[in-house]
Amino acid sequence: MNEVHMDRISWVEYQGRVREEAAPVFLPVGATEQHGPHLPLGTDALLATAVAGGAAGSVAGLVAPALAYGFKSQPKCGGGQHFVGTTSLDAATLIGTVRDTVREFARHGVKKLVLVNGHYENQWFLIEGIDLAMREVQASGIEIMRLEYWDFFTPATLARVFPDGFPGYALEHAAVIETSMMLHYHPDLVRLDQLPDDPPADFPPYDFYPTRTQLVPPSGVLSSARGATREKGEVMASELTRLIAAAVRDAFD
Ligand code: ZN
Ligand code: MN
């Protein structure tokens, strides 16, 4: 079995994998952000890396080191910037980091690049970074897939994970999906004895500046994680591995 992590192989082996074998390279993008009292600050980057690792293992791909800081946490989907530990980038910094990283992979001879986003707030800045890079590197022949991993869950899986109804991905911050997936990939980092009992957040249909922090549950968890189980995490992880690997095989042909 080939090593999957780019930072664990030499440049010589890496060069062979991307130039001779045309290995797809997965770039996980996360955040350093509060995830309640029961999950670690690195949850978004850890999950994006784990999901990328599953898919890469199925398509003889490589996983690059994650971009571990993301765009600013928003109250309605990540709790907001008032939490200690949440450590975020200005949009221009994230855009520039993505642009520079994509440009480097193109220079290496990577032809298939897959950005795996694990932090809701990053999406449009990843799009912009990719777009700016493509202006410079299109002649290299690189092609890029960008995805939010949660978009791959099937309705059948969501019905199984949320028998009482799905609250939506924004409110799923540090809740059933992320907690279940962490129980599967990194059980040693989950503190189930610390699960908060805040009621689900109830936000008005507008944003307000400075943030009305009283609208955000003090634990930082936006809907209950009580339904999280390791078994649900395993179901979701295996679905993501299968469907993302299939998408990569199809899209780059
Ligand atoms: Zn998260
Ligand atoms: Mn996040």
Side-chain angles (χ1 to χ4, degrees):
M1 177 75 188
N2 275 337
E3 172 61 50
V4 157
H5 291 281
M6 173 188 176
D7 55 357
R8 297 171 66 89
I9 61 176
S10 73
W11 79 268
V12 181
E13 185 180 348
Y14 172 75
Q15 176 174 266
R17 296 278 297 276
V18 300
R19 293 202 177 169
E20 274 117 65
E21 297 169 28
V25 173
F26 292 74
L27 176 61
V29 191
T32 300
E33 180 187 41
Q34 72 79 18
H35 275 74
H38 63 295
L39 293 177
L41 290 160
T43 293
D44 288 352
L46 287 167
L47 288 179
T49 300
V51 167
S58 301
V59 296
L62 285 166
V63 180
L67 304 184
Y69 297 92
F71 181 67
K72 293 158 197 160
S73 182
Q74 298 299 298
K76 287 180 184 174
C77 48
Q81 282 294 120
H82 56 291
F83 288 91
V84 174
T86 295
T87 312
S88 305
L89 302 176
D90 286 352
T93 312
L94 179 58
I95 291 167
T97 304
V98 170
R99 180 200 61 210
D100 292 358
T101 317
V102 169
R103 191 167 47 202
E104 288 292 79
F105 289 122
R107 179 178 63 77
H108 302 163
V110 172
K111 295 287 185 279
K112 306 168 186 172
L113 181 64
V114 184
L115 267 75
V116 177
N117 184 24
H119 175 60
Y120 199 87
E121 291 86 330
N122 283 344
Q123 179 171 354
W124 292 100
F125 310 112
L126 304 189
I127 292 170
E128 177 70 356
I130 292 167
D131 190 68
L132 295 181
M134 286 306 273
R135 290 184 192 174
E136 298 175 50
V137 303
Q138 204 146 12
S140 74
I142 193 171
E143 293 184 296
I144 302 171
M145 174 185 289
R146 193 209 87 256
L147 62 92
E148 279 68 45
Y149 70 75
W150 46 84
D151 286 337
F152 282 78
F153 293 130
T154 59
T157 293
L158 289 177
R160 183 166 169 187
V161 172
F162 298 99
D164 301 324
F166 177 47
Y169 289 116
L171 285 188
E172 255 301 301
H173 179 75
V176 173
I177 291 177
E178 289 186 315
T179 305
S180 297
M181 288 178 59
M182 286 296 284
L183 283 168
H184 170 68
Y185 287 121
H186 294 289
D188 51 317
L189 301 181
V190 183
R191 296 280 307 275
L192 282 182
D193 59 317
Q194 298 289 316
L195 276 190
D197 276 314
D198 297 334
D202 181 21
F203 293 110
Y206 55 82
D207 291 320
F208 207 80
Y209 308 89
T211 298
R212 295 268 162 92
T213 56
Q214 65 272 23
L215 293 174
V216 180
S219 68
V221 177
L222 302 185
S223 60
S224 178
R226 284 279 166 206
T229 67
R230 189 172 186 162
E231 188 257 340
K232 288 179 181 177
E234 209 215 311
V235 168
M236 288 187 276
S238 70
E239 175 156 272
L240 292 178
T241 294
R242 186 167 48 81
L243 295 181
I244 294 174
V248 168
R249 277 192 213 97
D250 288 353
F252 288 104
D253 276 347

